[in-house]
Amino acid sequence: INKSIYKNNTNEIILECLMPVKAVFEDLGIIDYKKAWDYQEELHQEIANIKSGKTNKEKINRIIFCEHPHVYTIGRSGKENNLLINDSILDSINATYYRINRGGDITYHGPGQIVGYPIFDLEQFKFGAKNYIFKLEESIIKVLKEYNIYAKRFKGATGVWIDSDNKGRLRKICAIGIRISKYITMHGFALNVNTDLKYFNYINPCGYTDKGVTSIKNEIGRRLSIEEVKKKILRHIINEFEIQL
């Protein structure tokens, strides 16, 4: 049960118990990036219409998992020169490129990487963007701990990192880039599981030139079942956000 603490006008502390927030889980499998982006926009608009009274449907929060064919995306604040290759090389490596409406700089999505797109109405969860990102990061940190990978946050940057206290060995294992409009989230996280890391050589990941990238496979020396990791991520997101599926 979600709990919120507040004080009444006599300064007495009141503990208010709320019902768990409901959500629906969808696994889209391997899906074209633009198709998944359009679907997110559709779901985001649907919740916005319900909140504004334009439609009378029940608000449905979504947890969407998928994988994408090779694609590079760059956020609103990203710099084009962080993509280090031209269109002809993009074609030769079977990759596409999109400038999109999330925060952050450039990142890569591809097979072997689990991408999560929570479409949440944060007003239902009773917290803001900072706590939302913290809980996403915490969910991934707990998943990685199950594989004896001890990851942390890195001050001044979103996402999940390994050896965050050792600048020379610092490497990112999960990128996070979000958009929040009308308190409704979209975009999300990308966890490298069996990802082909050579695709990160064609960009300055998240705009950094001095930080590495890794994957679960790279850290533990073996491939993992994507379905196994998805189940662990979903379980930790449900627990961290106190969601009822």
Side-chain angles (χ1 to χ4, degrees), residues 2-21:
N2 291 318
K3 299 182 179 74
S4 59
I5 298 175
Y6 63 94
K7 293 184 179 181
N8 63 13
N9 54 14
T10 63
N11 230 25
E12 180 184 3
I13 294 178
I14 307 295
L15 180 64
E16 179 185 22
C17 293
L18 306 171
M19 293 301 293
V21 175

Side-chain angles (χ1 to χ4, degrees), residues 158-174:
T158 58
V160 178
W161 302 76
I162 297 173
D163 284 335
S164 59
D165 53 355
N166 184 342
K167 193 171 182 180
R169 300 193 69 240
L170 179 67
R171 54 208 184 277
K172 179 179 275 191
I173 196 166
C174 180

Side-chain angles (χ1 to χ4, degrees), residues 17-181:
C17 293
L18 306 171
M19 293 301 293
V21 175
K22 293 182 179 180
V24 171
F25 171 66
E26 293 183 76
D27 189 341
L28 303 181
I30 298 175
I31 183 172
D32 175 76
Y33 182 83
K34 184 61 166 60
K35 187 175 180 180
W37 184 14
D38 289 344
Y39 185 50
Q40 288 185 76
E41 293 280 9
E42 177 186 323
L43 295 175
H44 188 283
Q45 188 59 53
E46 184 178 275
I47 294 177
N49 288 343
I50 293 167
K51 291 183 70 172
S52 67
K54 290 181 181 178
T55 60
N56 294 321
K57 293 181 180 179
E58 181 184 359
K59 274 187 287 189
I60 300 177
N61 297 286
R62 308 272 183 154
I63 304 170
I64 298 170
F65 286 178
C66 63
E67 292 178 71
H68 294 304
H70 305 297
V71 60
Y72 296 101
T73 68
I74 188 166
R76 293 187 304 268
S77 59
K79 297 179 180 178
E80 299 284 349
N81 60 6
N82 283 322
L83 177 67
L84 306 177
I85 54 177
N86 57 31
D87 289 345
S88 63
I89 298 177
L90 274 174
D91 289 341
S92 72
I93 61 173
N94 297 314
T96 53
Y97 170 73
Y98 292 97
R99 177 170 278 280
I100 62 175
N101 58 356
R102 61 163 169 77
D105 208 292
I106 195 166
T107 196
Y108 161 77
H109 300 307
Q113 180 192 73
I114 298 173
V115 180
Y117 297 131
I119 314 293
F120 288 171
D121 176 9
L122 293 185
E123 287 187 316
Q124 287 186 283
F125 288 88
K126 308 297 183 185
F127 52 69
K130 186 175 180 179
N131 280 342
Y132 172 66
I133 293 171
F134 183 92
K135 287 177 178 292
L136 279 183
E137 292 169 336
E138 192 66 20
S139 299
I140 300 299
I141 288 169
K142 288 177 177 177
V143 170
L144 294 170
K145 191 174 181 180
E146 293 195 41
Y147 294 103
N148 295 316
I149 298 172
Y150 297 95
K152 296 180 181 179
R153 296 169 183 83
F154 178 64
K155 187 175 180 180
T158 58
V160 178
W161 302 76
I162 297 173
D163 284 335
S164 59
D165 53 355
N166 184 342
K167 193 171 182 180
R169 300 193 69 240
L170 179 67
R171 54 208 184 277
K172 179 179 275 191
I173 196 166
C174 180
I176 291 178
I178 65 168
R179 175 182 178 234
I180 300 176
S181 174

